[in-house]
Amino acid sequence: MKMKVTSIFAFTLLAISIMTFGMTGPAFAANSYIDASSSSGNVGNGDPIIISGTIVDYEDAGHALTYTIVSPDNSIVQIGQVMSGVGSDGTFELSLVGGGPLWKNSGEYTVNFFYGPTKGDAIVDYVGGAGSPAPEPEPEPTPEPEPEPTPEPEPEPTPEPEPEPEPEPTCGPGTELVNGMCQVIKTDEPESSGGGCLIATAAYGTELAPQVQFLREIRDNTVMSTASGASFMTGFNQLYYSFSPTIADWERENPMFQEVVRAFITPMISTLSIMTLAEDGSEVEVLGLGISVIALNLAMYVAAPALIGFKVHKSIKSRK
């Protein structure tokens, strides 16, 4: 009974903390806003984009400065975080590259900035894409007089072809060729807006595993589509990448430990399928379903083992 009350109290405290984080913004946002602008002019495919700005009435609240880029048809084409951070006076600078598979139409692209509840935007005039004007045809060059034919040299004897070496296997993204075999590339640096899960990649052997692809889609398409989700991922990454490289190395060195980790994280990956029910960009749905997933994993990995241990301990104690 005591363990049950403790579990309920922990879950209630977690839910109140998450809800409080989402409700503390309005008071700060009332006197603060983000003033940003682009100095890049008209931008084509591959052109650099420089956006500078200032958080007016800036106060260091520990938030990450994130951004989303919205196309003229209101589609999100990119999500990320300003890696240079915010200066002590509230200034910041973001460097991007124009164009990409989602930049389909020319026009004004809006870069929305989020610092906790504080918001602001900047406009980028993109002239690439399918809707850009066709380039003017180049003038045809003036034909030059044909040179007089020269006698062809006698052909040299063709040497016998050497046997071709056997082709090496082609490794996919996230892997490299080592001693004729594809292995996962080791990395100790976290990725802010994209990339794979180090522990899951090492557990399943490749970034191309369906489980790893599923985790990436939930993170990029659902959680990162909201401001609260982007803030949550910033804090989560700081904790996760403090220990995940070490665990990933242990998995690669010990196949039995790799199997244990795979069996341990499989139920958690299954619970994350609940997040697919959330509509992308919906703060309420992403936050509500995220709390449900956290509660389910706490019950599965903490409450259930604790209850089983308590029952076993009570049973052993009663036999004595």
Side-chain angles (χ1 to χ4, degrees), residues 276-296:
T276 60
L277 301 176
E279 182 179 355
D280 296 347
S282 175
E283 292 278 352
V284 175
E285 293 185 9
V286 171
L287 183 59
L289 293 176
I291 294 174
S292 301
V293 171
I294 294 174
L296 184 58

Side-chain angles (χ1 to χ4, degrees), residues 16-128:
I16 293 175
S17 299
I18 296 176
M19 293 177 65
T20 303
F21 174 78
M23 297 171 61
T24 54
F28 181 78
N31 298 318
S32 179
Y33 62 93
I34 299 177
D35 182 15
S37 61
S38 171
S39 59
S40 305
N42 294 339
V43 177
N45 288 326
D47 291 344
I49 302 174
I50 305 297
I51 299 177
S52 57
T54 304
I55 302 177
V56 180
D57 293 335
Y58 169 73
E59 293 182 7
D60 187 2
H63 298 301
L65 180 59
T66 59
Y67 66 89
T68 61
I69 302 178
V70 181
S71 65
D73 59 354
N74 293 325
S75 298
I76 296 178
V77 300
Q78 188 171 338
I79 298 174
Q81 177 182 338
V82 180
M83 300 306 300
S84 60
V86 182
S88 59
D89 57 349
T91 59
F92 62 89
E93 185 175 280
L94 173 63
S95 298
L96 301 169
V97 177
L102 299 180
W103 296 54
K104 298 179 180 179
N105 300 316
S106 60
E108 292 184 350
Y109 281 66
T110 304
V111 184
N112 297 309
F113 292 93
F114 303 92
Y115 183 75
T118 305
K119 301 179 181 179
D121 57 58
I123 301 300
V124 175
D125 190 7
Y126 178 64
V127 296

